[in-house]
Amino acid sequence: MRKLAAIDIGSNAIRLQVSSVISYEEKTTFKKLEYVRFPLRLGQDVFGDNEDEPSHRIGATSSAKFLKLMKAFKLLIDLYEVDDYMGCATSAMREAENGHQLIAQVRDEYGLELEIIDGDAEAEILNNALKSFLEENKTYLHIDVGGGSTELNLYVNKEKVVAHSFPIGSVRKLNTRKSLEQVWNEMGQWVKENVKKNYGTPIAIGTGGNINKIFDLSGTKNGKILTLNKLISTRDFLASHTLEERINKLQLNPDRADVIIPASNIYISAMQWARTSKILVPKLGLKDGVMQMLYEKHQLKVS
């Protein structure tokens, strides 16, 4: 039984998933053996402002925690005797002045290979996870909101026709005092120009930890569509609570409680720009796309 591992080094949290590949009667599934989500907010260092000047560096405290975490991940990968793995670092790490230095240190000290990927590669990996959710003759606007960036992808008849990565995300909105109005306007213009009338009204697809949590809080049943009105009412419900109430009363993790409203505003605005009232939430993330890529790579070797 093949075992695969995916590491997702995001701006708000870092994740490791180890899965076994089960093939039975021409159907392949990934059985989760281990899942670790550690709330290390690299984006707070990189996107945060010091007076009027962003630091653009992962600080000493975060760097030390990151190195310890990667050591722990390498131990888990070895203990599970994983056949193959892939580690991807996104917005915070790629913008950090010392990002490549940290990646090299992890490789040299622990033998763990990681890769800093750009927004296009991030979107392409997610595309692998989404393929099974796309239907013929339909238009989808995929909205993936991370801590530091938002990836938008337009699919028509199961084919991606256009995509763009915008440097705006939940942690960046929370931690920078610089105006993001220009990026916000550019994102709105992009959606309005690319979601064309001849494609028909799109269905939105939302990925990312925040939309997953919003979906759960909305009371929508798994497999059902979340409506824009329900998304807005859930956002308003969260906003009616203080940060302390979100953590203690609503039982949100501290690193989710403060970014969930900025993230929800991005999903809501993208849907409004696209004039769509429905969003599908498959509860997939970068790690799921990585798993699919690793599986396909090994299938090619077998064939």
Side-chain angles (χ1 to χ4, degrees):
M1 186 180 298
R2 187 177 301 123
K3 296 175 186 175
L4 305 174
I7 299 172
D8 173 7
I9 302 168
S11 301
N12 191 46
I14 301 177
R15 301 167 179 84
L16 165 71
Q17 182 167 315
V18 180
S19 297
S20 59
V21 181
I22 299 174
S23 297
Y24 181 70
E25 294 184 348
E26 299 184 357
K27 183 180 179 181
T28 300
T29 57
F30 299 101
K31 179 176 175 57
K32 190 187 300 181
L33 301 175
E34 184 72 64
Y35 177 71
V36 178
R37 179 189 183 275
F38 190 84
L40 181 55
R41 185 172 284 178
L42 301 178
Q44 186 166 320
D45 290 5
V46 181
F47 310 139
D49 290 344
N50 178 12
E51 296 298 330
D52 294 323
E53 197 68 31
S55 64
H56 291 312
R57 290 186 64 81
I58 296 170
T61 300
S62 296
S63 293
K65 288 184 178 180
F66 174 73
L67 292 171
K68 287 181 181 179
L69 186 60
M70 291 305 102
K71 182 179 181 180
F73 281 7
K74 181 61 165 62
L75 288 171
L76 283 170
I77 286 171
D78 290 345
L79 284 168
Y80 276 103
E81 299 179 336
V82 165
D83 296 289
D84 199 4
Y85 72 91
M86 182 177 178
C88 297
T90 56
S91 185
M93 192 66 77
R94 66 178 171 247
E95 291 186 32
E97 291 176 354
N98 56 339
H100 287 280
Q101 177 186 332
L102 282 169
I103 296 299
Q105 190 172 349
V106 169
R107 181 192 63 232
D108 295 342
E109 293 187 13
Y110 311 129
L112 186 66
E113 296 286 347
L114 304 172
E115 181 181 357
I116 298 176
I117 59 173
D118 61 22
D120 291 339
E122 188 175 349
E124 195 56 40
I125 291 171
L126 277 165
N127 178 52
N128 277 326
L130 285 177
K131 286 187 291 190
S132 63
F133 290 89
L134 305 179
E135 297 182 21
E136 299 278 358
N137 302 315
K138 287 190 177 181
T139 300
Y140 297 90
L141 176 64
H142 174 216
I143 311 162
D144 180 67
V145 180
S149 64
T150 295
E151 321 301 329
L152 297 177
N153 307 277
L154 186 68
Y155 296 88
V156 179
N157 196 23
K158 300 187 77 169
E159 295 292 329
K160 186 190 292 188
V161 295
V162 66
H164 198 82
S165 176
F166 292 91
I168 190 167
S170 57
V171 177
R172 195 189 296 271
K173 281 177 67 66
L174 194 68
N175 284 276
T176 183
R177 290 173 295 180
K178 292 178 66 177
S179 175
L180 296 172
E181 183 179 0
Q182 182 177 345
V183 178
W184 188 264
N185 290 339
E186 288 173 358
M187 186 162 63
Q189 192 62 32
W190 185 92
V191 173
K192 292 171 185 175
E193 288 179 356
N194 287 284
V195 181
K196 300 173 182 176
K197 291 181 180 179
N198 54 315
Y199 291 151
T201 301
I203 298 172
I205 302 180
T207 54
N210 287 295
I211 194 67
N212 293 344
K213 179 56 67 175
I214 291 166
F215 184 90
D216 291 340
L217 290 169
S218 74
T220 305
K221 293 182 180 179
N222 286 336
K224 299 296 183 180
I225 293 285
L226 176 64
T227 66
L228 176 59
N229 286 339
K230 193 66 176 177
L231 173 53
I232 291 172
S233 66
T234 305
R235 186 272 315 272
D236 292 345
F237 168 74
L238 287 163
S240 71
H241 291 74
T242 64
L243 178 61
E244 186 178 357
E245 287 173 336
R246 282 177 236 151
I247 295 169
N248 296 294
K249 185 178 178 181
L250 302 182
Q251 299 287 294
L252 297 184
N253 290 331
D255 68 311
R256 178 73 64 210
D258 58 352
V259 297
I260 194 166
I261 293 173
S264 65
N265 289 334
I266 298 176
Y267 290 106
I268 289 168
S269 294
M271 291 178 69
Q272 289 173 335
W273 291 327
R275 297 183 179 180
T276 181
S277 61
K278 299 176 181 178
I279 184 167
L280 176 67
V281 184
K283 295 193 174 182
L284 296 174
L286 190 70
K287 59 183 175 51
D288 302 286
V290 168
M291 286 290 180
Q292 187 65 34
M293 283 184 66
L294 290 171
Y295 170 72
E296 291 175 0
K297 182 177 82 171
H298 283 268
Q299 285 300 102
L300 285 172
K301 286 183 179 179
V302 171
S303 60

